[in-house]
Each structure stands twice: as structure tokens, then as C-alpha cells.
Amino acid sequence: MPQQPDLLAISIDDVQPAAGKGGPRLWVRRLVIWRGVGDPIRAVTLRPGLNIIWSPDSGTENEAMGHGGGKTSFCRLLRYCLGENSFGSHALREVVARKIPDGYVGAEVVLDGEAWVVLRPIGVDNRHYCAKGEVLEAAFGREMPHTGLGALCDAITQAFMPEAASRMPLANPVEEAWEVALAWLTRDQECRLLSALEWRSAQTESHSASRQRQLSQADRLVIVRLLVNALSAGEMEASRLAEECSVKIEQTRRQRRRLQHLVEDMQEDLSQKFGASDAQADFWKAQAAEAVVQAEAAADPQLYERLTKAREDKDGAERALTQLGNQLAGLNADLATKTELRKTIDNNSAKAHTHVYDAQNPVCKTCGTRMDQKALDFVREREQERDDLIGKIAEIAGDIGALESNISAVKYQIAAAQQAAKPLAEAVIALERALVDQSRRLSAAKGDITMSTRYATHLGELKTSTNTIEQLVQLQSTHLNAASEHRVAALQNVDRLSLLFDAVLKFLIPETANGKIDLEQNELNLRFQMGGDRSTAAVDSLKIVAFDLATLLLTIEGRTQLPAFLIHDSPREADLGLSIYNRLFTMSQKLEEIGGTPLFQYIVTTTTAPPEAFQKEPWQRLELHGAPADKRVFGMDF
């Protein structure tokens, strides 16, 4: 059954260029690579419309393959001259700097009819220069200052996206807006056209690749919607206000849940203490006040004074015990000293008796002869020593007896004092407990008054939070409706983009293909039908090529905040199919006729041979080869 015609469908012939256009507003007129001043390696002239950079793939095993000629490096050098921070991976930049230490790349960039020159180092120099109205070789031939590319990037941003830039979800929206737009317009080959919102690969090691990885899918979608005028300031503001309401609603709900739990706990506690009542808050407050009165009436006003007196008595008893203990320790020390002294004297007394005996029998132990009168005097001296020691023993024995008697008396006093101190300590403990219990009862009674008062307050807060949530929900609904209304107004541009997407697919796959774009708040869907919905890797690549070209057509019509500038680095014939691949060039030629002069610049690199008619000027601008070295983009092997 034949497919019913779509009465709303258009063709690329229906594209209406914006009034007053006489060419692309932004395009690159020339790219030059220098080994040093006055020593160009390669100079490439580009044009508005289609520009083909071809690196023919070998047809025989003896010819160099088309890969490795430098197509991607050429694209990255263009991006570098348009403001991207680097022209290759760290490894490539190092080897280029080593081989071409004085190397530079320069470009003539035309913006709204005015030529800018851009000069950026690919060697070891660190000067980056851009200026309006100069000649490229003259600027490089003199001592140029380091200006950076900020002036050019700012001019491009102000020329195309002054409104979109300020609203992009970026850390520094105005400074970074052109960088992310350029990423979309010059997709990495490594991304292989697998997703409409994937523009940079981590393999490229570029600043914009890092930037894209920091952006969520939702952020990138916002950027696309802003750039194709499918997201107005009114919708963003209404969505922001709706989101603020959503946050406040959730915060208020969390607060209300906490209040609800608190009120329920208070209600259970007060009900258990005082019972339930219809007028609960007032009833509980009155009951709590009465409990305070009763607690205060039952309190012993003399309790603290009694406790103070008991503590003083206990402290006095403990001091007396300490004094007795010190006295006992002194007596014990004296007793130990006297006992030790008695042992010494006892020992000396025994020796004295021996000395007396020896003196009373003064016979020479050698010859047995009795000793003279002097010996008798010596006897009397020894006897006197013995008698003195016996006296000392008696005296020390008396001292020891007195000490032992005193020790016994002090021990008795200590026992009595300990017995007297025990009830004093127990009285202090009992009075302290009584004081704590009394304070706790008073505090609990007063706490119940506070709880019943807070219960009434929290009930009011609970009611207020309920009303606040209802008001916020109504306000959120108002903002969501406003955002929806703004979105409906912006859908005219989305609808036009969808029709152009369909027109591109119909041109690439005549009579059998249909396409549709759903660009909504949270998703971008590229739909492709050819005898039913199709979604394969090849079809996905085709859809993204068609999406970029449809956006280019929408830009030609003056409906986006983008320049009509596009680079496709090696869209694979294996993905698209040879017939579709060939029609891509035919369509590009047809687009050049819109408005009488090319209103865009579209740069395509390829290893697959373009149709024969395009293998020449004006479309083919450069032919590269993997070998010999001078046919590569840098004119040498690395």
C-alpha cells in the first residue's frame, strides 16, 4: 500500500534565506602552516559553500592508504584558529614542537564581512595573536604581540549568540559559549557521529572535550535548545521559578513531616500524663500548671540547708578520722623505731655478759697464767657496761609498753569515729537524692508546661506549613504552565527544524525516507522511518549528519543563534552507504544555490572518493596522502 503523502512536508528548495545575506557571516578564507617566518609548509584557500579535503584511499597494496594524511589535524587546526585551546593530543603537540620549533598556523577568518587574522603557535613559542583588518603574512612577518584570541571569540559570541550565551549552564557562560557551540559545529571524528549531543571525545585531549565531560546530557540539551531558539528567556525563567518552588515544596514537606512526628510524640506523652480532652492544648497547659503548683507545695524548703549541714558534719568527721590516722601512723613509726633499738641493745647486752665473764676469769688463754690487778679493773668496767645496758633495756621496754597502749587507744578512737561517720555519709547521700528527686519533679512539671505551650505552637506551624505547601504547589503549577506556553511558542522553530530534517533525509534517500525531530525539555529524539522506524549504527550516523545539515539550513534562514559553519571530519561511507554518501555532496552543491551565492561554509574531509564532478575546484580544496611525507598536512613524517 503506497505511503500517504505528508501535506506538511517541504524540500530543501523551500529554504528561505534570511533577508540581507550576501554570503556566510562566518567563514575561514585561508589556512597557512609555517615552518617559520617566510617558510610556509602549506597554504590552503577555502571558500563559502562546500569544501572537500580528500585523502584518497589506496586502490592497490603498493599505494599509501588514505588514512594518516592529516585530515583530522587539518580540522583541528581550523578549530584551533577559531578559538579552541589546542590542535592535537599532548603527544602530537610535543612531536610537532620538536620537529617544527618555530612553527605557526594562521587563518583568515571572515566575520560579518570583516577579515580577522589569527596566528597561533604549533612550535615552542607561546604568542597567540588575532587582529581585525590585517594581512596574514604581514602580521606573521613582524614582531607581533601576544593578544590571545579573546577579542575574536567575544566578537563571534556577540555577533551570533548574545542572548543564548548569558543563559548557558556553564561556569562562565559568556566566555565559554562559543567554545561549546564550536564543539557542536566541528564534531570530533572519534565520536563517530553516534549521538547528536556527543561532540568531543576524551581521546582528543582538548579543553572542550574536558568541558563537555563536565556537562550533563541535560546541560547539553539546554545549550542546543538555546542555540536553535527553542528555549526562550521566558521559559527558562518560568522553569527556574518552578524548580525553586519544587525545592521549597520538598523542604516544607520535610519540615512538616518533622513537625508531625514531634506533635504526635508530644500528644502521646501529654495524653499519658494528663489524659485526653477536646481542647487538648489548653487542658494540658492547665494540668501542667496545676502539677507545678503541687510539686512546689510538696517541696521541702529546708532540704538544701539540711543537706549543707549534713555535708559539714560529714566533712568534720572525715577530718577527725584523718587526724587520728595521722596520729596512729606516728605512733606506729615510733614503736618500730623503739623495737628496732631494743633488738640492738639486747644483742649488745648478751655480748656484755660474755665480756663480764671473760673479765671475771682473767687467765691467759695461751699460757693459762692468771692476770694482774689491771685485769680486775677491766672487769669492773665491763660489769658497769652490762649494768648500763640492762637499765636501757628496762627503759625502752617501758617506752614500748606506753606506745602499744597509746596505739590501742587511738585504734579504738578510729573505730568509734568511723562508726560515727558512716551515718553522716549515708545522710548526705539520702539528702542529695531527695534534692535531685525534688528538682526533677519540679523540672518535669515545668517542662510539661513548656511542652504543652510548644504543642500549641507546633500545631499552628503544622497548619501554616500545610497552607504554604498548597500555595507553593499552585505557584509551581502557574510557572509550569507559563513555561509550557513559552515552549509552545518556541515549537515553531522546532517544527521548522523537524521539517528541514525530513527534507534532508528525503534528499539523501529519495522517496523512501521520513524524518522527525522531537526536541523537548528533557530529550532530543531524531526519528527516521523507512518502511518503519529504523535505529542502527549506520542509521544513527545518517540521522546526526542530517540533524547538523538541518540546523545549518535553519541557520541560513536566520532562525538560530549559530553561524552557518559546519565541519564533518570523515563521515564514513561504510556507515552512510555509497549512494547516500554521494548525494551528500550533491545536496551541498544544491544548497550553494540558495540565495544566489553560498550562504554557509561546509568542510568535509574524506578518504572515500567524492563523486567525480567534485574531485576538482571549486569544491576540492586540498588533496592529502599518507605518503610520501611532503603530501601529508605538515609536509613531513612524525
Side-chain angles (χ1 to χ4, degrees):
M1 182 176 180
Q3 185 177 6
Q4 188 167 348
D6 185 352
L7 300 179
L8 297 177
I10 63 171
S11 72
I12 60 174
D13 293 325
D14 296 318
V15 174
Q16 297 296 321
K21 285 194 173 184
R25 294 183 60 197
L26 176 72
W27 61 290
V28 180
R29 187 162 59 195
R30 277 205 307 152
L31 184 81
V32 182
I33 305 171
W34 284 280
R35 188 175 286 103
V37 175
D39 187 10
I41 297 173
R42 190 168 304 285
V44 183
T45 300
L46 301 171
R47 62 186 287 273
L50 174 64
N51 295 260
I52 300 172
I53 310 300
W54 183 27
S55 184
D57 209 352
S58 61
T60 67
E61 59 184 40
N62 294 324
E63 294 180 6
M65 67 178 181
H67 301 285
K71 303 182 303 301
T72 294
S73 291
F74 180 83
C75 293
R76 293 207 62 180
L77 288 168
L78 281 174
R79 286 160 40 177
Y80 187 45
C81 290
L82 287 170
E84 191 152 296
N85 75 313
S86 66
F87 64 90
S89 66
H90 179 72
L92 176 64
R93 296 198 306 271
E94 278 195 338
V95 73
V96 171
R98 190 166 57 251
K99 290 275 191 173
I100 320 173
D102 298 322
Y104 258 82
V105 62
E108 294 177 359
V109 180
V110 181
L111 174 61
D112 285 331
E114 293 185 298
W116 290 67
V117 297
V118 176
L119 288 160
R120 304 198 73 177
I122 57 175
V124 297
D125 201 350
N126 61 359
R127 290 174 300 161
H128 300 258
Y129 177 74
C130 75
K132 187 163 48 176
E134 292 196 38
V135 177
L136 193 57
E137 285 78 6
F140 185 46
R142 60 177 172 77
E143 190 66 29
M144 61 187 183
H146 172 68
T147 65
L149 265 69
L152 175 60
C153 294
D154 290 345
I156 294 173
T157 300
Q158 290 303 313
F160 294 101
M161 56 193 74
E163 295 179 7
S166 62
R167 300 198 297 272
M168 286 187 181
L170 302 168
N172 300 291
V174 175
E175 291 82 358
E176 299 169 9
W178 170 237
E179 182 180 5
V180 294
L182 181 64
W184 175 13
L185 300 175
T186 60
R187 297 175 185 272
D188 277 337
Q189 178 189 165
E190 289 83 357
C191 290
R192 280 300 177 202
L193 304 175
L194 294 178
S195 169
L197 298 178
E198 293 292 333
W199 310 319
R200 288 288 182 262
S201 166
Q203 299 175 33
T204 63
E205 300 178 15
S206 67
H207 185 258
S208 55
S210 300
R211 177 88 63 208
Q212 178 181 281
R213 289 197 300 275
Q214 294 169 2
L215 293 174
S216 67
Q217 193 86 346
D219 288 340
R220 277 174 264 163
L221 181 59
V222 167
I223 290 169
V224 168
R225 293 179 66 207
L226 283 168
L227 291 174
V228 299
N229 288 324
L231 180 59
S232 66
E235 180 185 347
M236 290 192 73
E237 180 63 13
S239 297
R240 184 186 67 80
L241 293 172
E243 180 59 27
E244 284 185 0
C245 287
S246 178
V247 171
K248 290 178 181 178
I249 288 169
E250 183 55 33
Q251 290 174 344
T252 308
R253 282 176 174 164
R254 285 199 299 269
Q255 181 185 12
R256 189 181 186 284
R257 285 194 293 269
R258 288 194 297 269
L259 280 171
Q260 185 67 45
H261 291 317
L262 186 58
V263 165
E264 289 173 355
D265 290 343
M266 288 181 171
Q267 188 175 19
E268 182 179 359
D269 192 12
L270 291 168
S271 294
Q272 288 177 353
K273 287 182 178 180
F274 305 118
S277 172
D278 292 337
Q280 288 179 331
D282 294 337
F283 171 74
W284 287 333
K285 190 172 183 179
Q287 291 293 101
E290 179 61 27
V292 170
V293 171
Q294 293 176 3
E296 289 175 341
D300 181 359
Q302 303 298 319
L303 184 58
Y304 184 76
E305 293 180 6
R306 287 164 54 203
L307 174 60
T308 302
K309 179 64 171 57
R311 285 173 175 167
E312 290 174 353
D313 294 343
K314 172 177 169 288
D315 291 344
E318 288 176 347
R319 284 194 298 273
L321 268 172
T322 301
Q323 291 173 354
L324 289 170
N326 293 337
Q327 184 180 353
L328 178 62
L331 291 170
N332 282 326
D334 289 344
L335 178 61
T337 301
K338 294 290 184 180
T339 302
E340 189 63 29
L341 180 58
R342 180 174 179 175
K343 288 180 182 179
T344 302
I345 293 174
D346 283 344
N347 185 47
N348 290 338
S349 176
K351 290 179 180 179
H353 280 287
T354 301
H355 292 162
V356 169
Y357 175 81
D358 290 341
Q360 289 173 346
N361 297 280
V363 178
C364 178
K365 294 179 180 179
T366 304
C367 63
T369 304
R370 186 172 183 83
M371 298 177 68
D372 58 13
Q373 183 61 40
K374 289 182 179 179
L376 295 174
D377 293 339
F378 178 73
V379 168
R380 285 192 293 271
E381 289 176 2
R382 300 288 80 75
E383 288 175 341
Q384 185 61 48
E385 287 178 357
R386 180 197 60 191
D387 294 341
D388 290 343
L389 287 172
I390 291 170
K392 287 183 180 179
I393 289 171
E395 182 184 346
I396 291 172
D399 292 343
I400 288 173
L403 285 171
E404 288 175 342
S405 178
N406 288 338
I407 287 172
S408 296
V410 170
K411 285 183 176 179
Y412 177 79
Q413 291 173 2
I414 288 174
Q418 287 175 337
Q419 190 67 24
K422 184 176 181 181
L424 293 176
E426 291 174 348
V428 168
I429 292 172
L431 288 169
E432 285 176 342
R433 281 182 186 155
L435 185 60
V436 169
D437 290 342
Q438 180 173 287
S439 299
R440 186 180 292 119
R441 286 192 297 272
L442 281 169
S443 178
K446 292 176 180 178
D448 289 339
I449 290 181
T450 302
M451 187 187 300
S452 59
T453 302
R454 288 175 57 198
Y455 174 78
T457 301
H458 290 331
L459 277 180
E461 292 173 346
L462 200 58
K463 183 176 180 180
T464 299
S465 65
T466 301
N467 294 336
T468 300
I469 291 171
E470 292 176 355
Q471 293 170 1
L472 285 170
V473 168
Q474 291 176 357
L475 185 60
Q476 181 188 38
S477 178
T478 300
H479 292 318
L480 288 173
N481 289 336
S484 180
E485 290 174 2
H486 286 294
R487 198 173 300 120
V488 168
L491 281 177
Q492 294 179 357
N493 236 31
V494 177
D495 290 342
R496 183 65 180 176
L497 179 61
S498 183
L499 289 174
L500 292 169
F501 178 68
D502 179 69
V504 170
L505 287 173
K506 280 183 166 62
F507 188 94
L508 296 176
I509 311 175
E511 299 180 359
T512 60
N514 289 284
K516 187 176 187 299
I517 291 177
D518 294 324
L519 181 55
E520 300 174 359
Q521 183 178 8
N522 298 317
E523 60 181 347
L524 168 63
N525 285 324
L526 306 179
R527 304 188 184 279
F528 173 69
Q529 284 191 335
M530 192 170 67
D533 281 339
R534 297 291 184 94
S535 182
T536 64
V539 167
D540 287 342
S541 296
L542 173 61
K543 288 191 294 187
I544 293 166
V545 169
F547 172 67
D548 287 349
L549 289 170
T551 305
L552 181 68
L553 293 177
L554 193 69
T555 300
I556 290 172
E557 292 187 330
R559 297 173 181 263
T560 75
Q561 296 187 52
L562 288 165
F565 178 85
L566 184 62
I567 295 178
H568 276 158
D569 184 14
S570 299
R572 296 187 298 188
E573 175 271 327
D575 286 345
L576 302 178
L578 185 58
S579 62
I580 298 173
Y581 189 76
N582 289 338
R583 289 188 66 81
L584 178 65
F585 297 100
T586 304
M587 187 184 73
S588 300
Q589 179 188 12
K590 190 173 182 63
L591 297 183
E592 291 183 1
E593 300 169 1
I594 297 174
T597 184
L599 301 177
F600 64 94
Q601 186 171 51
Y602 181 32
I603 299 168
V604 181
T605 71
T606 180
T607 54
T608 303
E612 187 174 351
F614 292 90
Q615 298 176 23
K616 59 184 179 181
E617 292 189 353
W619 298 286
Q620 183 173 308
R621 310 309 303 171
L622 177 64
E623 185 173 320
L624 297 170
H625 294 269
D630 61 354
K631 295 296 185 181
R632 301 181 70 187
V633 71
F634 287 104
M636 63 185 72
D637 289 329
F638 294 132

